Amino acid sequence: VWWRCSGASTKKRNASAEEQYTFLVSQLPTEIADPRLDSHSTDDANDANNTNACQIEKDLQRTFPTNSKFQNEEGIASLRRVLLAYSHRNPGLGYCQSMNFITAMLLLHMDEESSFWMLAAIIEDLLPVEYYAGNMTGLCVEQRVLQSCLGWKLPKVHKHLLEYDVDVDQISVPWFMCLFLNSLPLDVTLRVWDCFFYEGFKALHRISLAIFKLKQPELMEMDDMCDMFRTLRSPCSLGSVDDMAGNAGTKGTGFTADEIIKTAWGTTSWLGAFPTEKITHFRVQHTAAKKVEMEELEAAAQARMQKIQAKKSAAGGSGGSSGEDSGAAEISQTRSRGSSRAIEYDHHEHIAGMDNVRVSGVSDADADLLFSTTHGNQRKLSIAPMFVCSSGITAQSPGGTTHGAACSFELRSALDAGDEEDEGHGPSLPLP
């Protein structure tokens, strides 16, 4: 059903010889060179491929590690080949975290080649434009679309969440990034995927609204932001993928697959008509607004770089290259390559393009809830770096591997930097 509804069969049939999975696999390198170790490399395309490959290699061991299929080299090698082949098929995107989980779930239900074409259909046809690419504009837009849908269909819940400063983005980004994998029980997720492949992306908005509807009685009784985050981040406990090998897996607790499907597609009056035209209207509206924001961010970044360069020139180039480097780290519009993602920080003034900011010394225990508060002249953020949206950070664990736990840090806004900024110092990132 997935194969036919998704359009993957048509995609494979219409592909040229160079686009076929077997050909792409035959072109994969036997060895991977880490581009970070070769500072003199000028081959951007090859560096991007190697960067993707290095990130994929890191994520292989984190993908359903307790599942029997991925506890041996054969299963890991299958996942590796599909992800590498797709990164070569779509070099503009390459690889993004969460693609590993989606691909692994596909491999539990079909062979490598079918999984490859299913992944291609999901990314290229079913998901919105730029959903995983670059600064994830498509993903950011869909978070705003969801909030518009929430205000449209569940205004009381929407108002209640706004009243207690609950950032819906930080709850829904993991849902949308992995298509509800790791967020709902597996039996529920597989039913959601059935609907996704049949109806398209609108199904994810239906399911999201259904979760809020099912949790509405609990949410309306709460007056604590942290409790609301806990309730929505884990709407019901997850089933296990330990022995999953093509079946539906074990069930979690909480609402059942039938309950969420009936809530999302049933004839009850709460949802009513949910036309694609309305979703498209929201999407066009928020895409235009996001484009304006990005243009303003770029203009601000360029203006600040010019200011730094002018001050450096006026000082006669004193201070060496460290001032320039720190200034560039603060506001440069360096484009991301491979798996690195450009990010933005939203405060009194936007700072854009800080590429792949890392915070060391962060453990999983540091992260429980996602929230943002304002404290004096600083904004303190707690975010899930694995799921980057409008305020995304990639964290570095003590072991040197990127993980999906939230980390807390403070990022000084441009307006609050004062004299230190004039001296070329970049923004501080102290751990709490």
Side-chain angles (χ1 to χ4, degrees):
V1 174
W2 291 0
W3 178 252
R4 293 186 179 276
C5 289
S6 66
S9 59
T10 302
K11 212 170 187 68
K12 177 184 176 182
R13 185 169 59 250
N14 295 337
S16 65
E18 291 76 14
E19 294 175 318
Q20 293 295 334
Y21 179 69
T22 51
F23 176 81
L24 291 171
V25 170
S26 71
Q27 302 301 303
L28 297 179
T30 56
E31 295 184 359
I32 300 171
D34 190 338
R36 294 172 299 179
L37 303 179
D38 185 3
S39 60
H40 302 290
S41 175
T42 58
D43 189 344
D44 289 348
N46 188 58
D47 285 353
N49 286 334
N50 287 335
T51 300
N52 290 326
C54 289
Q55 186 60 55
I56 288 170
E57 204 63 31
K58 292 178 182 178
D59 290 343
L60 292 175
Q61 303 298 328
R62 310 170 188 161
T63 308
F64 299 151
T66 58
N67 181 269
S68 58
K69 182 177 179 65
F70 302 108
Q71 287 179 333
N72 57 75
E73 183 54 36
E74 181 181 355
I76 292 176
S78 296
L79 180 59
R80 179 188 295 115
R81 283 191 294 270
V82 175
L83 292 172
L84 285 174
Y86 188 77
S87 71
H88 281 256
R89 169 186 168 83
N90 189 350
L93 168 61
Y95 170 77
C96 177
Q97 285 181 328
S98 77
M99 289 167 58
N100 54 319
F101 289 105
I102 293 172
T103 303
M105 184 56 66
L106 293 170
L107 285 169
L108 290 173
H109 292 83
M110 56 191 71
D111 59 44
E112 279 186 40
E113 186 169 9
S114 298
S115 297
F116 169 81
W117 287 111
M118 284 290 298
L119 180 65
I122 291 171
I123 295 174
E124 298 167 15
D125 301 332
L126 296 174
L127 296 180
V129 177
E130 295 187 339
Y131 195 76
Y132 289 136
N135 54 16
M136 296 184 174
T137 301
L139 179 65
C140 294
V141 167
E142 292 310 312
Q143 306 313 304
R144 300 183 184 188
V145 172
L146 176 59
Q147 294 211 41
S148 294
C149 290
L150 195 59
W152 171 34
K153 293 297 184 180
L154 293 169
K156 291 183 179 179
V157 174
H158 187 237
K159 181 180 179 181
H160 188 67
L161 295 175
L162 289 177
E163 181 180 354
Y164 289 96
D165 298 321
V166 176
D167 187 353
V168 175
D169 286 4
Q170 297 200 25
I171 298 167
S172 60
V173 165
W175 298 354
F176 281 33
M177 280 288 287
C178 288
L179 310 183
F180 288 98
L181 274 174
N182 304 326
S183 298
L184 292 176
L186 287 168
D187 65 309
V188 179
T189 301
L190 294 175
R191 290 283 295 278
V192 169
W193 280 30
D194 291 343
C195 301
F196 170 64
F197 291 129
Y198 178 77
E199 188 180 39
F201 195 84
K202 187 173 75 168
L204 301 190
H205 287 297
R206 280 188 185 271
I207 295 298
S208 299
L209 291 175
I211 292 174
F212 283 107
K213 179 63 176 178
L214 289 168
K215 291 295 180 180
Q216 181 174 0
E218 295 177 53
L219 292 172
M220 298 305 292
E221 293 294 324
M222 295 177 180
D223 56 5
D224 183 81
M225 177 182 63
C226 296
D227 290 340
M228 296 181 201
F229 268 114
R230 290 191 186 96
T231 298
L232 291 171
R233 286 190 65 203
S234 300
C236 48
S237 62
L238 306 182
S240 171
V241 296
D242 289 357
D243 300 315
M244 190 173 180
N247 54 50
T250 56
K251 293 183 178 180
T253 60
F255 50 73
T256 65
D258 284 343
E259 284 177 316
I260 194 168
I261 296 301
K262 288 179 179 179
T263 302
W265 277 273
T267 57
T268 54
S269 60
W270 81 271
L271 185 59
F274 198 59
T276 300
E277 291 76 11
K278 185 74 170 180
I279 305 300
T280 302
H281 170 74
F282 286 146
R283 186 172 293 131
V284 170
Q285 183 182 45
H286 291 306
T287 298
K290 183 66 178 177
K291 181 179 179 181
V292 171
E293 290 177 15
M294 295 301 294
E295 290 173 349
E296 291 175 350
L297 287 170
E298 181 122 14
Q302 292 177 353
R304 290 182 58 77
M305 180 61 77
Q306 292 172 359
K307 179 181 177 182
I308 290 174
Q309 294 293 349
K311 289 185 176 181
K312 184 176 178 64
S313 299
S318 61
S321 60
S322 60
E324 182 179 358
D325 291 342
S326 61
E330 182 181 353
I331 53 87
S332 76
Q333 283 297 110
T334 302
R335 300 305 179 189
S336 61
R337 290 191 307 182
S339 61
S340 298
R341 300 296 176 200
I343 65 166
E344 61 188 70
Y345 171 67
D346 185 10
H347 191 39
H348 302 295
E349 179 174 342
H350 294 290
I351 303 176
M354 290 188 298
D355 198 32
N356 206 23
V357 176
R358 296 184 180 274
V359 183
S360 61
V362 179
S363 66
D364 292 342
D366 293 326
D368 181 19
L369 301 176
L370 309 179
F371 63 92
S372 62
T373 58
T374 302
H375 180 68
N377 290 332
Q378 295 179 325
R379 170 161 292 188
K380 184 176 181 180
L381 300 177
S382 244
I383 57 97
M386 184 176 176
F387 306 109
V388 184
C389 99
S390 59
S391 297
I393 297 295
T394 301
Q396 190 79 1
S397 70
T401 57
T402 307
H403 58 85
C407 61
S408 298
F409 59 91
E410 294 177 357
L411 178 58
R412 190 177 51 208
S413 76
L415 292 182
D416 301 326
D419 296 335
E420 283 188 319
E421 213 172 62
D422 294 340
E423 297 174 7
H425 298 295
S428 58
L429 294 168
L431 287 172

